[in-house]
Amino acid sequence: MRVEGEVELVVVGGGAAGLAAALKAREEGIEEIWVLDRNERPGGILPQCIHTGFGLHYFGENLTGPEYIHRFIRRAREEGITIKLETMVLRLTKEREVVAVNPSEGLLKLKAGAVILAMGCRERPRGSLLIPGGRPAGIFTAGTAQRLLDLEGYLPGREVVILGSGDVGLIMARRFAMEGVEVKAVVELMPYPGGLGRNVVQCLEDFGIPLLLRRTVTHIHGRERVEAVTVAEVDGEGNPIPGTERKIPCDTLVLSVGLIPENELSEGAGIELDERTGGPFVDEFMRTSLEGFFACGNVVTVFDLVDHVTLTGERAGKSASQYLKGELPPPRRVREVRPGENVRLVVPQRVSGEGPVTFYLRVSRPLREARVEVGGKSFFRKAVRPPEMLTVELGKEEVGGLGGEIPVRVLGKPLG
Ligand SMILES: Cc1cc2nc3c(=O)[nH]c(=O)nc-3n(C[C@H](O)[C@H](O)[C@H](O)COP(=O)(O)OP(=O)(O)OC[C@H]3O[C@@H](n4cnc5c(N)ncnc54)[C@H](O)[C@@H]3O)c2cc1C
């Protein structure tokens, strides 16, 4: 079967970003909104994040992932927004054709008035790490281990080593410990943890789990099942130092080694991508380089908190609605945002100057008594760390006063 038709607004991805975008568009008066998601249930990654720590900023409450996202799912249903599940978007074209497939309707070919990209991100797999060893069972990405444990009720292992101290890895260390699993160590290549400070304290220190900094896994042992991993210290370039190897017996290796925004569809449509973020270049309206396409959430850059994801979703939903109504200010005087000293990435990368701007940025090195400079304006922060996203807000007037390019840099003293 083949379904063809026109839809005012298509949102690709029904996670925190996509649902926030759809709800905002409804609030702005858009009647026909289709959210397409390949999963069996809406909500993206959040239904499997059963720990608390969600919504502290947006709702001023400490919610679990399911509690947070169900507020949006419930409202989307009350508002009559169409959420098509098990619907995989296969292709987007610059004419805003959306090709998708699902088991009940077959192929769907839609012509959208506007498209919002909200596909989230995916985990880096073992293949991208080139760790020598066999292919035994017992190697999982942190997100897969989380899904097995929290949604499907399986315990992936009994003695675990976690490689990578990003938030997902830290949270899984605690989840395993709470299930009586022995977490032998969390191993991190960098000299500092990859996740939020609060997660290091609440997930490792509170449970007595060792964090081994400046180290990596150099070998995976075992034929049928993981039996041990070798961990070695690394030099300043991240290369293992011979003679520092230590074998840690374990039956499971969990990988938490980075997230990659999911942008094959964006690339296929011809949307310009930023090498630093791995996501589309956007302006303050979350407008991409392709007319009628907007983007939000982790597909743009990997955000630390869902609150930011939701806010970018709302911004994209509002902008797409304004676009559909012919009310979105055209990008008249586009200024490029230039990441400078100690800035790993910044979003938005372009500013049209037609409204206030929230800049989201990440630093490369931790600093204390830091000065964040955006277009010559300074903002002070007690400390800045790579895992924590910095936000800087500029009003429309302030943005209007900036020059042709907006340099961004973060200066300060080394954090001991
Ligand atoms: C383990 C873990 C712990 C976290 N802890 C916290 C925390 O304590 N506090 C906090 O604030 N944040 C936390 N976060 C971050 C937060 O959960 C995310 O930032 C947020 O949920 C991302 O939302 P999203 O909508 O951008 O992406 P996602 O939730 O990933 O949603 C993207 C959706 O797009 C769909 N999709 C992708 N491609 C296609 C396609 N081609 N066709 C159809 N559908 C598609 C996917 O199926 C998915 O449902 C955590 C995240 C993880 C993974």
Side-chain angles (χ1 to χ4, degrees):
M1 211 191 322
R2 184 184 171 113
V3 178
E4 303 219 12
E6 293 191 5
V7 177
E8 237 178 327
L9 175 62
V10 170
V11 181
V12 187
L19 291 177
L23 280 164
K24 183 52 98 182
R26 172 67 94 233
E27 214 177 290
E28 294 287 317
I30 303 304
E31 290 192 355
E32 206 181 12
I33 305 168
W34 284 23
V35 179
L36 310 181
D37 200 295
R38 63 188 174 194
N39 282 346
E40 289 165 5
R41 55 173 78 79
I45 193 80
L46 286 185
Q48 71 180 56
C49 300
I50 63 170
H51 57 283
T52 53
F54 296 86
L56 290 163
H57 302 274
Y58 189 79
F59 288 117
E61 290 178 63
N62 191 9
L63 303 172
T64 63
E67 283 171 333
Y68 184 92
I69 200 64
H70 277 283
R71 294 187 178 187
F72 292 85
I73 296 172
R74 197 176 49 240
R75 273 184 54 215
R77 291 201 167 123
E78 283 165 8
E79 291 291 337
I81 291 168
T82 303
I83 304 179
K84 281 192 177 281
L85 298 173
E86 293 184 87
T87 304
M88 174 85 183
V89 177
L90 303 172
R91 190 157 55 92
L92 299 170
T93 70
K94 59 176 182 302
E95 292 78 25
R96 296 192 291 283
E97 279 169 358
V98 181
V99 181
V101 67
N102 70 32
S104 54
E105 294 162 298
L107 202 65
L108 278 76
K109 205 169 167 199
L110 309 169
K111 175 84 173 102
V115 176
I116 296 181
L117 307 171
M119 291 89 77
C121 58
R122 64 165 174 267
E123 297 179 282
R124 279 179 70 202
R126 177 187 170 182
S128 62
L129 292 178
L130 306 173
I131 305 172
R135 297 192 148 267
I139 305 172
F140 302 92
T141 61
T144 303
Q146 186 182 51
R147 199 190 65 236
L148 289 170
L149 196 56
D150 293 342
L151 282 184
E152 297 176 18
Y154 296 106
L155 196 59
R158 302 219 167 262
E159 294 184 315
V160 177
V161 169
I162 299 180
L163 177 59
S165 62
D167 289 313
V168 195
L170 298 178
I171 279 156
M172 282 317 292
R174 177 176 62 183
R175 274 299 288 129
F176 278 125
M178 287 165 102
E179 294 296 333
V181 172
E182 192 183 349
V183 183
K184 297 278 183 89
V186 174
V187 180
E188 170 59 55
L189 189 75
M190 302 302 285
Y192 44 79
L196 296 173
R198 73 178 197 210
N199 284 336
V200 175
V201 175
Q202 293 169 9
C203 300
L204 300 189
E205 291 174 12
D206 288 358
F207 288 81
I209 298 169
L211 172 61
L212 308 180
L213 297 173
R214 292 195 180 89
R215 287 180 179 81
T216 191
V217 170
T218 54
H219 200 95
I220 301 168
H221 306 269
R223 232 181 114 73
E224 301 295 321
R225 173 88 200 190
V226 173
E227 289 168 11
V229 293
T230 298
V231 171
E233 289 175 26
V234 295
D235 62 20
E237 260 82 64
N239 301 313
I241 304 172
T244 63
E245 296 87 354
R246 182 182 137 204
K247 200 166 169 181
I248 305 181
C250 59
D251 63 13
T252 303
L253 174 65
V254 170
L255 304 173
S256 174
V257 288
L259 301 166
I260 311 164
E262 185 106 31
N263 274 296
E264 284 71 17
L265 287 175
S266 324
E267 212 171 356
I271 290 171
E272 257 186 275
L273 299 183
D274 179 355
E275 271 181 22
R276 286 175 183 262
T277 57
F281 283 99
V282 288
D283 69 3
E284 70 268 43
F285 295 98
M286 304 313 286
R287 175 165 46 191
T288 72
S289 62
L290 205 59
E291 192 183 324
F293 282 84
F294 301 81
C296 52
N298 281 354
V299 83
V300 174
T301 186
V302 179
F303 284 92
D304 54 351
L305 297 179
V306 72
D307 312 69
H308 296 148
V309 164
T310 300
L311 293 174
T312 61
E314 291 184 345
R315 180 72 259 185
K318 181 164 181 180
S319 303
S321 311
Q322 288 175 304
Y323 172 78
L324 287 165
K325 294 186 275 184
E327 294 168 4
L328 187 65
R332 263 191 285 270
R333 200 179 142 230
V334 178
R335 275 156 284 184
E336 301 287 332
V337 181
R338 292 268 175 247
E341 192 175 335
N342 200 22
V343 176
R344 186 150 65 84
L345 57 86
V346 60
V347 167
Q349 300 90 337
R350 290 168 184 164
V351 166
S352 74
E354 300 291 333
V357 185
T358 303
F359 292 97
Y360 298 94
L361 57 120
R362 278 186 196 272
V363 294
S364 316
R365 294 186 317 278
L367 296 174
R368 65 190 164 88
E369 294 171 47
R371 198 168 76 238
V372 183
E373 287 184 3
V374 178
K377 294 184 186 302
S378 292
F379 303 84
F380 290 91
R381 298 283 186 276
K382 262 212 270 200
V384 296
R385 296 180 181 83
E388 285 154 23
M389 207 142 214
L390 299 172
T391 55
V392 169
E393 292 181 23
L394 294 189
K396 187 178 171 186
E397 310 289 280
E398 289 176 293
V399 177
L402 297 177
E405 269 195 358
I406 306 176
V408 182
R409 57 185 192 155
V410 183
L411 310 169
K413 299 180 181 162
L415 195 67

